[in-house]
Amino acid sequence: MASFWAGMFVSIFCGVLGIIFNHFFPMFFMKHGDEHDHNLIPKGSFGWPILGETLSFLKPHASNSLGKYLQDHCSRYGKVFKSHLFFSPTVVSCDQELNYFILQNEGKLFECSYPKPIHGILGNVSMLVAVGDTHKRLRNVALSLVNITKSKPEFLNDIETTAIQFLKSWKDKKQVMFCEEARKFTFNVIVKQVLGLTPEEPQTTKILKDFLTFMKGLISLPLYIPGTPYARAVQARRRISATVKAIIEERRGKKKSDFGSKKSDFLEILLCVDSLSEDEKVSFVLDSLLGGYETTSLLMAMVVHFLANSPTALHHLKLEHQSIRNVKKKDEYLNWEDYKNMEFTQNVINEALRYGNVVKFVHRKALKDVKFRGYLIPSGWKVLPVFTAVHLDTSLHASALQFHPWRWETEDQTCKKFTPFGGGSRCCPGSDLAKVEVAFFLHHLVQNYR
């Protein structure tokens, strides 16, 4: 027992020493390194020892605002500045051109680099944290699945059926907590599409329970101590993985015995992909659940919130969906052509993404010394391109601090100043699926509820 505690003390001491060294070494390097390069490093502050400015950076604020931290630092140091975040020296970019440069040079000059505790929850083969060839293989599979799925009648019908069921369930309720309902809706859609499970099946309830625990730990203090949200999240991920593996084995058994009808979901296609290992397939399922649940439900909630405060936009949206419904037979399902005709709906969704910022920033690491437009980003430093700052920049978007869907009638949705799902080789592959879900849900919501 004595040796155990001695080993624990040494581990903690070495860990703290490493963090302290990591904090002060960049300062030493800048003082004694090349004076010219020192002058090129963006101005800024490293903040407190060890913690740096992480707590200030993570202080909650409205998603349609920059928050006090970015406002103060941009006014003091400019749109590009240095800081110390998540235990690492960091260059924070609120500049459109630098953000685009970072995203386009993934794998060449920069590499995805999230804090290590995130790896503990997501797993090392998660597409969200994987780099190099592993990420390319996973992303190619994801893109293939999305392209196969997004316009399939079965997928579109499932979305619409689920939306109608949820809306009907509200009729006898005095109050509806929309954020909670949006999460239930997106989870039911994605678990059906990925694993072929319906809400009534016991496995669905089990996965949802563990998934909620998993989500709470994902944004908690990363302390692996029994009872903490982080530790419970790691354990929940293991349970979800075990459940998914059991479903995979059951599905394989049915395929071999030709028992039961062939399902049309992600898992059915994944089973035929030889380029992925068993662990990668399980991780791929978890990534799909995460992306299809959290970001899509958040987008849906923001769209409804902004529309509630924009009667004119809501009126235009109703007219568009009424015109689509008028040319269809009673109870006829929506199809891909109907979705493509929802032009104002697309504008509303894009504006919610710009104004509400589902993805606020991403983590990258400089693979070598990078010079860009007079700045130096030293090798090994973290880089945080902040999308929110570009989306809310009044010099780039007219009336940037207002919800105005009509701007997308003239603005380019694929331009440098609009990166709601990231960019480059790590742009979210499931963005089209999220938009379809929101559009189909809105179709029935605006025609049946105020």
Side-chain angles (χ1 to χ4, degrees), residues 143-397:
L143 288 171
S144 175
L145 282 170
V146 168
N147 288 331
I148 292 171
T149 301
K150 66 182 183 182
S151 59
K152 280 171 58 177
E154 298 94 330
F155 173 63
L156 302 179
N157 294 351
D158 281 343
I159 294 175
E160 192 169 8
T161 300
T162 307
I164 292 170
Q165 288 172 348
F166 264 79
L167 292 170
K168 283 183 177 178
S169 72
W170 296 354
K171 288 188 176 180
D172 297 324
K173 294 182 179 179
K174 292 183 178 180
Q175 186 181 61
V176 172
M177 299 300 293
F178 189 81
C179 282
E180 293 178 11
E181 293 296 307
R183 288 194 177 101
K184 290 177 187 175
F185 168 75
T186 56
F187 183 81
N188 285 352
V189 170
I190 198 65
V191 82
K192 175 72 183 300
Q193 186 54 45
V194 174
L195 294 171
L197 297 176
T198 61
E200 298 78 25
E201 295 182 62
Q203 288 169 313
T204 305
T205 305
K206 183 179 179 183
I207 292 173
L208 179 58
K209 183 180 177 181
D210 284 330
F211 201 76
L212 293 174
T213 304
F214 171 82
M215 289 303 305
K216 288 177 183 176
L218 193 60
I219 53 173
S220 67
L221 196 65
L223 294 174
Y224 192 80
I225 299 172
T228 61
Y230 179 80
R232 288 199 294 266
V234 173
Q235 292 160 3
R237 187 196 185 280
R238 290 172 185 159
R239 290 194 297 270
I240 297 171
S241 297
T243 303
V244 172
K245 285 179 180 177
I247 294 171
I248 290 175
E249 287 305 312
E250 181 184 358
R251 188 74 67 86
R252 281 199 177 118
K254 288 181 178 180
K255 283 173 74 74
K256 287 179 181 178
S257 62
D258 292 323
F259 175 76
S261 59
K262 185 177 180 180
K263 296 204 175 187
S264 177
D265 52 35
F266 279 14
L267 190 56
E268 195 69 28
I269 303 172
L270 272 181
L271 292 176
C272 302
V273 178
D274 296 328
S275 61
L276 299 183
S277 68
E278 197 75 358
D279 286 341
E280 285 174 337
K281 290 177 182 178
V282 171
S283 189
F284 187 92
V285 169
L286 290 174
D287 290 343
S288 301
L289 293 175
L290 177 61
Y293 168 79
E294 183 65 18
T295 54
T296 307
S297 63
L298 182 57
L299 171 59
M300 187 179 295
M302 289 195 304
V303 167
V304 170
H305 172 72
F306 295 144
L307 284 172
N309 294 302
S310 180
T312 308
L314 179 57
H315 176 68
H316 275 72
L317 196 67
K318 282 184 178 181
L319 291 178
E320 178 172 87
H321 286 283
Q322 284 169 358
S323 66
I324 290 172
R325 180 49 55 188
N326 288 341
V327 297
K328 301 189 77 66
K329 296 176 184 177
K330 185 182 179 182
D331 298 329
E332 183 182 354
Y333 282 117
L334 294 168
N335 55 42
W336 187 249
E337 279 303 311
D338 295 324
Y339 171 68
K340 301 302 287 185
N341 288 330
M342 297 177 184
E343 294 181 5
F344 187 72
T345 305
Q346 294 290 340
N347 293 341
V348 167
I349 292 172
N350 283 328
E351 183 65 351
L353 288 166
R354 181 201 68 82
Y355 188 54
N357 297 288
V358 175
V359 180
K360 295 171 176 57
F361 62 90
V362 292
H363 289 256
R364 297 291 184 267
K365 179 176 72 175
L367 298 175
K368 58 181 78 173
D369 284 354
V370 178
K371 291 183 180 180
F372 178 82
R373 227 174 49 188
Y375 295 115
L376 169 69
I377 303 173
S379 175
W381 279 39
K382 298 295 177 67
V383 187
L384 259 64
V386 182
F387 304 144
T388 306
V390 176
H391 291 164
L392 301 178
D393 190 332
T394 53
S395 68
L396 299 174
H397 303 277

Side-chain angles (χ1 to χ4, degrees), residues 20-30 46:
I20 294 174
F21 179 77
N22 189 41
H23 182 91
F24 288 105
F25 178 73
M27 298 180 187
F28 177 83
F29 166 77
M30 287 190 293
F46 272 9

Side-chain angles (χ1 to χ4, degrees), residues 45-47 51-57 69 73 82-85:
S45 168
F46 272 9
L51 283 177
E53 298 184 310
T54 305
L55 296 181
S56 298
F57 179 79
Y69 173 85
H73 281 65
K82 73 170 181 278
S83 183
H84 204 278
L85 303 170

Side-chain angles (χ1 to χ4, degrees), residues 60-85:
H61 61 87
S63 61
N64 57 344
S65 73
L66 281 182
K68 190 174 185 299
Y69 173 85
L70 288 177
Q71 286 177 337
D72 289 349
H73 281 65
C74 286
S75 62
R76 189 182 304 175
Y77 306 117
K79 291 184 178 180
V80 181
F81 57 89
K82 73 170 181 278
S83 183
H84 204 278
L85 303 170

Side-chain angles (χ1 to χ4, degrees), residues 434-449:
K435 290 182 177 181
V436 172
E437 279 187 55
V438 175
F440 277 29
F441 189 90
L442 286 174
H443 176 77
H444 291 280
L445 178 68
V446 299
Q447 294 183 88
N448 290 280
Y449 283 88

